[in-house]
Amino acid sequence: MIKLYAINCGWFIAPAEFFQEGAGTDRTRAPVPAFLIEHPGGKVLFDTGMTMRFKDYMATSRSAAAGYGVELDESQQINTRLQAMGIEPTDIDYVALSHLHHDHCAGLALIPDATLLIQRSEYEFAYGGGNAMYDKSYFDLGHPVKKLDGEYDLFGDGSLVLFPTPGHTPGHQSARVRLPTGDVILAADCCYVSEVLADFSRLTAGSCDREQHLGSLRLLKDLQGKGSRILFGHDPAQPVLTADQATLVN
Ligand SMILES: [Zn+2]
């Protein structure tokens, strides 16, 4: 039977309006999650969270002066979180990355033996260079890569389906996990917080393609309307994302 765990991998600090339009400039502490999916066919991570390397980079970057930062210690990195669950990083078979921004892919460096699952359009954009939000040294680490062209049912039984939700980045993808209690959607950066899905005018200006992003939000909204539970990308109001330990989603 499939199991889904939400795993907090530290906190990204930013002005509230970074996560939702019109929210003001108060510094907000937002969780950075990874997810573990256990299936008889293998162990899968969806995103990998941040690392001490990324924390150090943020502390010295220009954005620190603008109120951005990272709260993280080694116990919150994905390798340590997995070991606390009795799982070695080398036990992970697949890493599905929503996209290749640092706070989602940095932890890949701690997961040595997995095959990457990523949309081809994201891969090609990231390797094309020229965008400051991408740094190959975080993800070009020699892992086997399976490039996806659209929806992908990893185990062939509908229990874990990756599907494109472009707009935040060109090849962003989300995941649908089919639990006995219903479908859970891992939105990642297609939707940072619940307020944006409730009111699309709160979508910030950070999308690479706003029209595409709005289309992806409509898809999530439609899934929500059909009964799927949405776990948002960086929502401090979702307890499974903020617990200081891996949390079974059921
Ligand atoms: Zn992102």
Side-chain angles (χ1 to χ4, degrees):
M1 195 177 72
I2 193 165
K3 284 186 180 168
L4 169 65
Y5 295 87
I7 305 173
N8 175 283
C9 293
W11 301 82
F12 189 71
I13 315 296
E17 62 192 8
F18 175 83
F19 302 102
Q20 53 170 309
E21 193 66 39
T25 55
D26 287 353
R27 294 186 93 206
T28 296
R29 192 169 173 266
V32 177
F35 298 90
L36 172 69
I37 297 104
E38 288 188 323
H39 182 281
K43 289 183 171 60
V44 187
L45 283 178
F46 181 76
D47 285 342
T48 57
M50 303 184 294
T51 55
M52 301 308 281
R53 178 191 167 193
F54 177 62
K55 179 184 179 179
D56 293 344
Y57 159 76
M58 284 296 291
T60 56
S61 77
R62 275 181 299 171
S63 56
Y68 292 81
V70 169
E71 264 182 43
L72 180 75
D73 63 47
E74 289 186 4
S75 72
Q76 297 166 319
Q77 292 189 137
I78 189 63
N79 56 331
T80 318
R81 290 292 204 205
L82 289 171
Q83 284 165 338
M85 304 170 74
I87 295 169
E88 287 303 317
T90 49
D91 294 340
I92 300 298
D93 301 294
Y94 302 98
V95 172
L97 291 169
S98 60
H99 63 306
L100 291 169
H101 285 164
H102 305 5
D103 57 319
H104 295 258
C105 75
L108 186 59
L110 307 169
I111 309 294
D113 293 341
T115 295
L116 291 193
L117 305 171
I118 186 151
Q119 292 292 324
R120 185 184 305 276
S121 47
E122 183 71 8
Y123 182 90
E124 289 180 351
F125 186 73
Y127 276 83
N131 187 305
M133 295 293 289
Y134 292 86
D135 178 343
K136 270 197 273 191
S137 69
Y138 281 91
F139 53 79
D140 187 12
L141 304 172
H143 297 80
V145 181
K146 183 169 178 60
K147 295 168 208 153
L148 309 178
D149 296 299
E151 196 168 294
Y152 185 66
D153 181 349
L154 176 57
F155 297 114
D157 60 2
S159 60
L160 173 58
V161 175
L162 303 169
F163 61 98
T165 45
H168 175 72
T169 62
H172 189 281
Q173 63 182 349
S174 300
R176 189 196 74 205
V177 184
R178 184 149 282 169
L179 298 179
T181 50
D183 287 357
V184 177
I185 307 295
L186 310 179
D189 283 0
C190 180
C191 194
Y192 290 148
V193 293
S194 66
E195 288 88 342
V196 174
L197 200 60
D199 176 0
F200 292 179
S201 74
R202 288 187 170 268
L203 179 64
T204 60
S207 313
C208 80
D209 183 325
R210 188 172 180 86
E211 281 311 306
Q212 213 177 35
H213 199 157
L214 287 167
S216 295
L217 283 174
R218 280 192 285 274
L219 172 61
L220 292 192
K221 185 91 178 170
D222 186 49
L223 292 168
Q224 187 185 48
K226 290 175 178 160
S228 295
R229 185 156 35 130
I230 314 286
L231 295 183
F232 296 96
H234 297 288
D235 197 333
Q238 287 199 303
V240 295
L241 306 185
T242 61
D244 192 30
Q245 59 185 7
T247 304
L248 181 66
V249 179
N250 54 19

